[in-house]
Amino acid sequence: MSIDKGKDIAERVPPGQKLTDGFPVLHYGDVPYYRDMSQWDFRVFGLVEEELTVPYKEFMALPRQEFRNDIHCVTTWSKLDNTWEGVAVSTIMDRVKLKPEAKFVMLHAEHGWSTNLPLEDFLKETSFFGIKHNGELLTPEHGYPVRMVVPHLYFWKSAKWLRGIEFMAKDKPGFWERNGYHMYGDPWKEQRYDWD
Ligand SMILES: Nc1nc2c(c(=O)[nH]1)N[C@H]1C(S)=C(S)[C@@H](COP(=O)(O)O)O[C@H]1N2
Ligand SMILES: [Mo]
């Protein structure tokens, strides 16, 4: 979770990436602006014994932790030393029982946007549901009210406006993966747009 302070900055930047101090906004489609959070819920479904629906107020009342990480966008910018407040994946997973066939996850965002990743990567202690970035609530552009954060993969796996998690037996491409992005997206292996 914490960044190894002894590590050289150069060693923290994956091949082909450049550092930025800004926080670029990248996504497909329109930013959702919510008027009424009573319509918002967070669904956990697919290969679970019992589906879980968490309403907005309940999600916001879940225990939060601090996270610190580096993020790497496939379009070649990296942003180091982000601090976040978010809900640990285990906090949600403690409330559902997975079926043994569950091996992959589809993250579902507003407007039908999605992205896929292996269960193991989703469950990593460094993955979390982000609510604040560098001390401030996420702006609408960056994913308010909740975004996934999976810092060890390219940042497109970090779904903004997250509304649901689906557990699956087999891997299936999400939105960008259907459009040529890599199924896994390891920045250290430069798994950008092609399958390799
Ligand atoms: N719902 C949703 N989440 C998304 C995207 C998107 O199009 N829709 N784009 C992804 C991509 S390609 C990137 S690089 C990051 C960008 O996050 P940022 O705008 O907060 O920098 O969000 C990811 N999450
Ligand atoms: Mo991206």
Side-chain angles (χ1 to χ4, degrees), residues 23-29 71 73-75 77 109-110 113 141-143 147 155-161 175-176 181:
F23 193 4
V25 171
L26 283 174
H27 54 261
Y28 177 82
I71 57 186
C73 173
V74 70
T75 62
W77 57 267
E110 279 315 329
W113 193 89
E141 291 74 19
H142 287 296
R147 79 177 299 161
F155 205 39
W156 88 78
K157 300 284 181 181
S158 293
K160 303 195 275 193
W161 316 298
F175 178 82
W176 283 120
Y181 281 39

Side-chain angles (χ1 to χ4, degrees), residues 125-192:
E125 275 186 27
T126 48
S127 304
F128 60 95
F129 307 110
I131 293 172
K132 287 187 176 182
H133 177 266
N134 290 351
E136 306 287 341
L137 281 180
L138 290 171
T139 60
E141 291 74 19
H142 287 296
Y144 175 88
V146 178
R147 79 177 299 161
M148 191 74 215
V149 182
V150 185
H152 70 288
L153 300 177
Y154 279 126
F155 205 39
W156 88 78
K157 300 284 181 181
S158 293
K160 303 195 275 193
W161 316 298
L162 186 66
R163 292 293 301 273
I165 312 163
E166 179 186 5
F167 294 96
M168 316 183 290
K170 294 211 167 76
D171 203 6
K172 235 171 58 176
F175 178 82
W176 283 120
E177 294 83 5
R178 283 196 297 277
N179 289 282
Y181 281 39
H182 198 277
M183 284 294 268
Y184 184 65
D186 181 344
W188 298 96
K189 295 184 179 157
E190 286 203 70
Q191 294 173 337
R192 296 177 192 271

Side-chain angles (χ1 to χ4, degrees), residues 68-87:
R68 198 178 168 88
N69 58 28
D70 297 341
I71 57 186
H72 311 292
C73 173
V74 70
T75 62
T76 76
W77 57 267
S78 288
K79 181 173 174 59
L80 305 184
D81 292 321
N82 299 276
T83 58
W84 304 83
E85 190 177 296
V87 173

